[in-house]
Amino acid sequence: MTLAFAEGHRGALLIGTGRYDHPDLDTLRSPAVDCAGLAEVLRDKEIGGFEVQELVDADLSTLMRAMEEFFGRQAGRDDVRLLYLSCHGILNPRNDKLHFAVGGTDPQLPASTAIPASFVRDLVEECRALSIIVILDCCFSGRFLPGAKGGGDGSAEFQKALAGHGRVVITAGTRTQRAYEGDHPDPAAPAPSVFTGPLINGLRTGDADHDGDGLIAVRELYDYVCRQLHEEGVAQNPRFGGELQYDIALARVKPKPKPKKVREKRVPRPAVSEGPPRQPWQARAALGPACQPVLSDGVLVVREKRRLWVVDAVTHDRHIMIELKYPGEPAFHGDTMYFTGKGGRLQLADLRTGRPRHCRPLTLAPGRLWVRGDVLYAQTPLGHLYAVDLVTDDELWQPLQLHDLALTQAPEVSKGNVIVRVRGRNGAEQVAAVDAARGRLKWIYATKGPLSPEWSVTEQGVHLLRPAESGPSQLVTLDPTADTTLWTRDLPAEPVAAPVAAEGLLVLGDKDHRLIARDTSTGETQWAKRTRGRLLTRPVVQDGTLYTADRAGLLTAWRLRDGRRLRSHEILVGEDAEGGPAVAPGMLYVTDFRGDLHGLPTRPA
């Protein structure tokens, strides 16, 4: 039938709980933002037209009384009732029944300290209003639906109450799925949850109006949220319950202001110069926080969770999005991406089109492949290490058996050796050297204690970081040609990102906002400087200039030889402890905390 706004009162009760007393219940930052954002669009007379009541971090008795009044004496037959909950969903350890956690909830005593899902079902079943929407953004919310395991004794009556009316339930996931908070790259500005965020956006923008009739029905909003989560690769599958005799017009599409006509100004042609000057630019890459870019064959690759965004470094256009359906880090060489596919088989894809390419048959251990120079290194499930020349497609040596040792970091090359970090079955990590020409194991160094994943390999040494246990953190440098220690230096504070080596210096940042450059041959400190905040990425070097990104929102250029501060850009770069900005002649490329890509001109120190 044709949709229309119900004639009765439109009421919404929004409940969010983010603060919890029990140590087993983590603090949530999204519920307060979820309620505020949803209240804004529902209250808007041009969108929802609801009378909204918000209860954030309220106690158990306050919430149960508010819900009973909301569905009870306040509700009339022609009214619309919308209940929204954003909180922890917990299961009773004795019977797996769903409960909604509040601030004072004890997960071991949910029946008396949390809101039982059965309490909400009973209120909906007994409510006189025929138009009811229940939206649940919490873990295991699918169990609220009729017939779901753990649904409670009244599931049959509840299903009967939903059938044949304008009564629906929308859950953020299935009965076994968790509901995820949004990413909070800016501590001062928490983000909505991954489910509620698109729900609010669909109402605010009107994009959820699929049929274009100017009204957003509940089913349309649900379908819109599902599409958004699928496109973003979120591991949540919302559920919709209720046999609708009529759909509910939840909101109107707010008219968009007509753009003002602006007369085009005549712009004089620029004077002809010898080559266009390089200008800073910014382009949309990922949809949220992402890794630092990788530059390969003129395109910039930005990884966001299980997706890759490919952006042209010249035109700044976003070519394609590549979904990573299987675990493991991809590697790049020229215009080709290398990754593990179904069954661990080696797969190739064109970076500009995403189309598969022919490749040699090779089965890999999950995620075990890396490209260094023109060589692909990959480990098989049986522990063999392959080295394939990507120019000729020939194997450089017979597969090397590493004897139950699994590679843990990308191989590096120094003085004719391939330096690898491996871990045995007992969990102990070791550093080994393989002859790069013949594929023979030359030496293995057994480390004393655990190592940080960050490391650096130069012609002068293999530089490892040993985290503090009982004493200070240490920087340990091995001889690349033998299993001997060249030098060890205590560090004043724990490092925060992988070190970078260039021009005989090894530079790393620590938790005390220090930037320290050491001689790669001796370990002696050459200079030390203060940064405004803790480093977010691995530093990079180009043309004698060192670039660092810190939590103070500064991308800073330093003269490498003496640490002199040259200039700074105000950009809050996305955190990536092992990666760093990409460099090309005259350009530096970084990803900010929103996933936007920046191109910045550089100049020699």
Side-chain angles (χ1 to χ4, degrees), residues 281 285 292-302 308-320 322 332-337 349-354 357 582-584 589 597:
W281 55 267
Q292 288 305 304
V294 175
L295 180 62
S296 186
D297 196 49
V299 297
L300 294 154
V301 184
V302 177
L308 295 179
W309 301 93
V310 182
V311 178
D312 193 292
V314 177
T315 65
H316 319 154
D317 294 331
R318 192 163 64 180
H319 281 301
I320 57 170
I322 301 176
F332 310 97
H333 182 264
D335 61 352
T336 304
M337 178 177 76
D350 187 296
L351 267 181
R352 286 180 169 81
T353 65
R357 289 183 167 177
V583 293
Y589 305 100
L597 192 60

Side-chain angles (χ1 to χ4, degrees), residues 113-431:
T113 63
I115 302 173
S118 58
F119 172 77
V120 181
R121 292 193 197 97
D122 291 343
L123 294 177
V124 172
E125 178 187 343
E126 297 167 4
C127 183
R128 289 182 297 169
L130 296 182
S131 298
I132 297 176
I133 309 106
V134 178
I135 302 176
L136 304 177
D137 190 352
C138 60
C139 298
F140 318 120
S141 54
R143 292 176 181 249
F144 187 85
L145 296 171
K149 184 179 179 181
D153 298 333
S155 61
E157 289 77 6
F158 184 56
Q159 184 168 357
K160 182 178 179 181
L162 291 181
H165 298 281
R167 296 183 169 191
V168 296
V169 178
I170 298 176
T171 68
T174 67
R175 65 183 184 86
T176 61
Q177 282 181 332
R178 297 189 177 276
Y180 295 102
E181 280 214 287
D183 294 316
H184 308 300
D186 183 356
S193 72
V194 297
F195 168 77
T196 302
L199 187 146
I200 295 170
N201 187 67
L203 294 172
R204 179 184 291 123
T205 63
D207 291 345
D209 180 21
H210 183 67
D211 59 11
D213 64 352
L215 294 175
I216 299 174
V218 175
R219 185 77 201 198
E220 283 182 310
L221 181 61
Y222 166 79
D223 291 340
Y224 172 82
V225 173
C226 289
R227 288 196 302 271
Q228 296 301 305
L229 295 184
H230 176 72
E231 290 176 4
E232 295 178 12
V234 178
Q236 281 182 223
N237 304 101
R239 289 293 182 261
F240 185 97
E243 299 177 10
L244 293 176
Q245 182 178 358
Y246 59 88
D247 208 339
I248 304 173
L250 184 60
R252 299 183 179 94
V253 176
K254 188 173 184 176
K256 295 180 174 59
K258 295 182 179 179
K260 296 181 180 180
K261 294 183 178 180
V262 180
R263 293 182 62 184
E264 295 184 2
K265 294 183 179 181
R266 186 177 179 182
V267 180
R269 294 183 180 181
V272 179
S273 61
E274 294 182 7
R278 293 180 181 270
Q279 299 292 333
W281 55 267
Q282 179 178 350
R284 192 65 172 151
L287 300 177
C291 296
Q292 288 305 304
V294 175
L295 180 62
S296 186
D297 196 49
V299 297
L300 294 154
V301 184
V302 177
R303 178 167 184 174
E304 174 196 17
K305 296 179 181 178
R306 299 191 67 175
R307 290 173 296 192
L308 295 179
W309 301 93
V310 182
V311 178
D312 193 292
V314 177
T315 65
H316 319 154
D317 294 331
R318 192 163 64 180
H319 281 301
I320 57 170
M321 184 272 288
I322 301 176
E323 289 193 31
L324 302 175
K325 300 180 180 180
Y326 303 97
E329 294 284 341
F332 310 97
H333 182 264
D335 61 352
T336 304
M337 178 177 76
Y338 299 79
F339 61 101
T340 51
K342 185 176 182 181
R345 290 188 291 273
L346 176 65
Q347 300 288 315
L348 276 62
D350 187 296
L351 267 181
R352 286 180 169 81
T353 65
R355 294 175 182 171
R357 289 183 167 177
H358 174 74
C359 64
R360 62 172 49 242
L362 188 63
T363 302
L364 312 176
R368 304 297 184 192
L369 79 164
W370 301 272
V371 171
R372 286 295 179 265
D374 292 327
V375 180
L376 171 71
Y377 297 97
Q379 191 170 15
T380 70
L382 297 178
H384 292 85
L385 179 63
Y386 278 86
V388 179
D389 188 317
L390 296 179
V391 177
T392 64
D393 200 34
D394 295 327
E395 292 182 19
L396 296 181
W397 62 64
Q398 290 296 317
L400 172 66
Q401 175 58 262
L402 291 177
H403 305 290
D404 297 326
L405 297 175
L407 269 68
T408 60
Q409 302 292 329
E412 303 289 349
V413 179
S414 175
K415 290 190 175 180
N417 293 328
V418 180
I419 311 298
V420 295
R421 289 175 59 169
V422 293
R423 181 178 289 117
R425 288 186 176 180
N426 61 357
E429 192 168 22
Q430 300 172 338
V431 180

Side-chain angles (χ1 to χ4, degrees), residues 68-150:
E68 188 168 5
E69 290 181 347
F70 181 70
F71 284 111
R73 62 186 182 185
Q74 294 181 0
R77 180 180 178 84
D78 294 329
D79 293 346
V80 178
R81 286 289 175 266
L82 186 153
L83 174 67
Y84 169 84
L85 285 93
S86 178
C87 59
H88 278 302
I90 61 173
L91 304 180
N92 190 315
R94 291 174 293 280
N95 54 27
D96 273 353
K97 291 184 179 180
L98 177 65
H99 292 71
F100 306 111
V102 300
T105 293
D106 183 340
Q108 299 303 314
L109 301 171
S112 58
T113 63
I115 302 173
S118 58
F119 172 77
V120 181
R121 292 193 197 97
D122 291 343
L123 294 177
V124 172
E125 178 187 343
E126 297 167 4
C127 183
R128 289 182 297 169
L130 296 182
S131 298
I132 297 176
I133 309 106
V134 178
I135 302 176
L136 304 177
D137 190 352
C138 60
C139 298
F140 318 120
S141 54
R143 292 176 181 249
F144 187 85
L145 296 171
K149 184 179 179 181

Side-chain angles (χ1 to χ4, degrees), residues 564-599:
R564 178 185 174 187
R565 189 191 300 266
L566 301 175
R567 54 194 172 274
S568 294
H569 300 273
E570 291 188 357
I571 297 177
L572 184 55
V573 173
E575 187 167 7
D576 189 350
E578 295 189 32
V583 293
M587 289 296 292
L588 180 78
Y589 305 100
V590 298
T591 308
D592 68 20
F593 73 98
R594 292 183 297 265
D596 288 353
L597 192 60
H598 297 255

Side-chain angles (χ1 to χ4, degrees), residues 408-459:
T408 60
Q409 302 292 329
E412 303 289 349
V413 179
S414 175
K415 290 190 175 180
N417 293 328
V418 180
I419 311 298
V420 295
R421 289 175 59 169
V422 293
R423 181 178 289 117
R425 288 186 176 180
N426 61 357
E429 192 168 22
Q430 300 172 338
V431 180
V434 178
D435 188 306
R438 294 181 292 177
R440 295 180 182 177
L441 193 63
K442 297 179 68 173
W443 54 262
I444 295 181
Y445 174 85
T447 63
K448 299 176 182 178
L451 296 174
S452 297
E454 298 83 12
W455 69 327
S456 182
V457 178
T458 68
E459 291 296 297

